[in-house]
Each structure stands twice: as structure tokens, then as C-alpha cells.
Amino acid sequence: MSLPQQEVEGIATLPIEQLSTNLKGAVLANYLFAIRNRATLQRPWMIVRILPGAKTHIIARFVNRQDADDRLRALRRYVPNAAFEIVFAPGES
């Protein structure tokens, strides 16, 4: 009792297609993770908004301190009642 050739090929390709799809998704996820981390590591200067209850919110990231200072000056001009700080966080992920 043997299975027809077409049925055997269909059974064999199903797990391969699923594996291929899973690998593509994993490769894409790893690639996006690497890009996100590289962007974070290359921009260690952050402007952080201080919120009530000792909470913080990252507003923007910068490559150098001067860019962060310039943006902070503009933020303080347009949002005078908010508390902002510049933070240096090298190697943060």
C-alpha cells in the first residue's frame, strides 16, 4: 500500500513551508530588534519629561549634547509648565 506521489509531496512540503515561514519571521524579528538597538545605542542623549509620581517619558534621543540642548530650549519655550531634563544613557537597550 503506497501513497500517490502527489500526496507524499503535499505531506512533505507542508512542514517545510511552515518552517520556512517561521524562520522568515524570526529573521525579520531579529533584524528589526538589531536596528532598534543600533538606533538606541547611537543616540545616548535623551530629553526626558518628568511626570508626577516619579515617572518619566522619553521625548527624543540625540547623537550629541548640543542637539539635545537646542531641542530642550525649544520645548521649554513652548511647554513652560512641564519639567524636562537631559539624560546621558550609554549602552542602554
Side-chain angles (χ1 to χ4, degrees), residues 54-65:
K55 295 180 183 177
T56 60
H57 178 72
I58 297 173
I59 301 297
R61 290 182 165 273
F62 301 92
V63 174
N64 58 45
R65 172 74 190 245

Side-chain angles (χ1 to χ4, degrees), residues 67-79:
D67 291 344
D69 283 332
D70 292 343
R71 179 71 63 88
L72 181 62
R73 250 189 317 281
L75 279 170
R76 286 185 174 154
R77 188 175 318 129
Y78 292 112
V79 190

Side-chain angles (χ1 to χ4, degrees), residues 19-20 24 76 80 83 88:
L19 180 62
S20 174
K24 287 177 188 174
R76 286 185 174 154
F88 182 73

Side-chain angles (χ1 to χ4, degrees), residues 17-88:
E17 289 174 1
Q18 288 176 347
L19 180 62
S20 174
T21 302
N22 289 341
L23 287 175
K24 287 177 188 174
V27 168
L28 180 61
N30 285 338
Y31 178 71
L32 293 174
F33 181 74
I35 288 174
R36 191 174 303 122
N37 280 344
R38 183 175 63 218
T40 300
L41 294 175
Q42 290 177 347
R43 293 181 174 92
W45 293 98
M46 300 182 287
I47 294 180
V48 178
R49 183 171 182 179
I50 311 299
L51 300 171
K55 295 180 183 177
T56 60
H57 178 72
I58 297 173
I59 301 297
R61 290 182 165 273
F62 301 92
V63 174
N64 58 45
R65 172 74 190 245
Q66 185 61 47
D67 291 344
D69 283 332
D70 292 343
R71 179 71 63 88
L72 181 62
R73 250 189 317 281
L75 279 170
R76 286 185 174 154
R77 188 175 318 129
Y78 292 112
V79 190
N81 297 332
F84 298 102
E85 290 295 327
I86 294 179
V87 178
F88 182 73

